[in-house]
Amino acid sequence: MMNTTIKYLMVLCLFLLIPSCATIKKEAPDMTLPPTGFMTPVSHAPTPTNIMRKEADLEFLDVYDPWGAMNRNIYSFNAQFDRAIYLPAVNLYTTVLPKPVRKGVTNAVNNLNEVNAILNSSLQGRGEKVLRSFYRLLLNSTFGILGIMDVAEDWGIKRVRTSTADTLGVWGMGPGPYVVLPLFGPSSVRDSAGLAGDSALLWVQMNYVYDFLGVKEGRTLIGAGEATIRGLNLRANVPFRYYQTGSPFEYDLVRFLYSTKRELDIEKQ
């Protein structure tokens, strides 16, 4: 009798639990509403005043580019040259020369550029930077075996990065119109003038080095080889690749980033 009663109670409990185990279907309210045509609520329609304010907020993106059509054509030419000639040559350069050798080339080029840093830091009135570049040139040219090793960096003497264009900026010269130089890429009128000054200084410096080493014949050929190595080494250390930024407005993006970076470079000199 007792077993019968217990079985009865168990069946009764299971019967009472069945409704609570049933699945309750409830559709999301937004799935039952008719389409409105808007993804988010709109509080007000845009007005000409709002549109003008929006454009005004984006004025910082503007870069003075009166030669835009020509610059875009040169940008396209540089991209094709980079893809067809420059990068294949860089790939050959990085394949033939192992990384430690390329590091030595980079150090030697930077060591030669210390003369430029000393001159321009002097013209900018930056005494501490002049001394730093001088010590770097002295240490790397001696203990660093003609600059192949950057022993000054290991001793905590950081390299000064400056140029004639920076000096012109410190003196108050504005950047002028944006310009894209063949093979060299983004620049400005001020930076182009600075590049010409740096090139002239390098020519004088290398002739002094040739005189010091007693090189009298074949300077033109040696200079062309030295310039080629400089160019290959520079491109090998720049990860940028044309038309791989993922932006349909790459020219405008590069123009904005370059101009902004140069403003910051001048400010921190």
Side-chain angles (χ1 to χ4, degrees):
M1 181 64 181
M2 181 62 68
N3 292 335
T4 303
T5 303
I6 293 174
K7 290 180 181 178
Y8 175 77
L9 291 174
M10 292 178 64
V11 171
L12 180 61
C13 290
L14 289 173
F15 180 78
L16 293 174
L17 288 172
I18 287 175
S20 63
C21 295
T23 302
I24 299 175
K25 293 184 178 180
K26 184 178 181 181
E27 295 182 353
D30 57 345
M31 299 298 292
T32 61
L33 296 175
T36 62
F38 294 97
M39 299 299 294
T40 56
V42 177
S43 60
H44 58 274
T47 63
T49 303
N50 292 336
I51 295 175
M52 291 179 62
R53 186 184 304 118
K54 185 68 175 178
E55 292 176 348
D57 292 340
L58 298 177
E59 283 183 354
F60 71 94
L61 291 172
D62 293 339
V63 176
Y64 184 42
D65 187 8
W67 307 315
M70 178 188 70
N71 287 336
R72 289 177 187 273
N73 288 329
I74 296 176
Y75 187 89
S76 178
F77 166 78
N78 287 345
Q80 296 177 35
F81 178 85
D82 193 65
R83 186 183 303 112
I85 298 177
Y86 212 171
L87 288 181
V90 169
N91 290 334
L92 179 63
Y93 171 76
T94 56
T95 301
V96 172
L97 296 183
K99 190 173 182 179
V101 177
R102 300 200 305 272
K103 179 62 176 176
V105 172
T106 301
N107 290 338
V109 170
N110 290 339
N111 192 52
L112 290 172
N113 290 338
E114 296 292 355
V115 175
N116 186 307
I118 292 173
L119 176 62
N120 280 291
S121 294
S122 301
L123 295 174
Q124 296 167 21
R126 307 291 194 263
E128 184 271 337
K129 292 183 177 180
V130 173
L131 290 176
R132 201 194 322 165
S133 296
F134 175 76
Y135 288 142
R136 284 184 53 83
L137 179 64
L138 180 63
L139 294 173
N140 288 338
S141 299
T142 53
F143 299 106
I145 313 176
L146 299 178
I148 296 176
M149 294 185 296
D150 192 351
V151 295
E153 183 77 16
D154 298 335
W155 293 349
I157 306 176
K158 302 296 182 183
R159 186 161 69 95
V160 176
R161 301 172 185 272
T162 189
S163 65
T164 304
D166 293 337
T167 299
L168 295 176
V170 171
W171 287 354
M173 181 177 178
Y178 178 77
V179 61
V180 180
L181 298 176
L183 305 183
F184 289 93
S187 186
S188 65
V189 170
R190 180 193 60 204
D191 292 351
S192 299
L195 178 62
D198 292 336
S199 300
L201 175 62
L202 179 62
W203 182 82
V204 173
Q205 180 184 350
M206 292 311 299
N207 274 286
Y208 178 80
V209 172
Y210 296 151
D211 290 338
F212 180 78
L213 297 176
V215 178
K216 297 182 180 179
E217 301 293 336
R219 289 189 177 189
T220 302
L221 184 60
I222 296 174
E226 187 263 341
T228 301
I229 292 176
R230 274 179 176 265
L232 293 175
N233 186 69
L234 176 64
R235 189 66 182 95
N237 291 316
V238 176
F240 174 78
R241 296 292 183 270
Y242 283 95
Y243 302 129
Q244 292 188 10
T245 60
S247 171
F249 310 104
E250 181 174 291
Y251 172 85
D252 305 87
L253 176 64
V254 170
R255 182 181 62 184
F256 170 72
L257 293 178
Y258 174 81
S259 302
T260 303
K261 179 182 180 303
R262 289 300 296 142
E263 289 181 9
L264 297 175
D265 289 341
I266 300 301
E267 289 179 0
K268 73 178 184 180
Q269 290 298 320

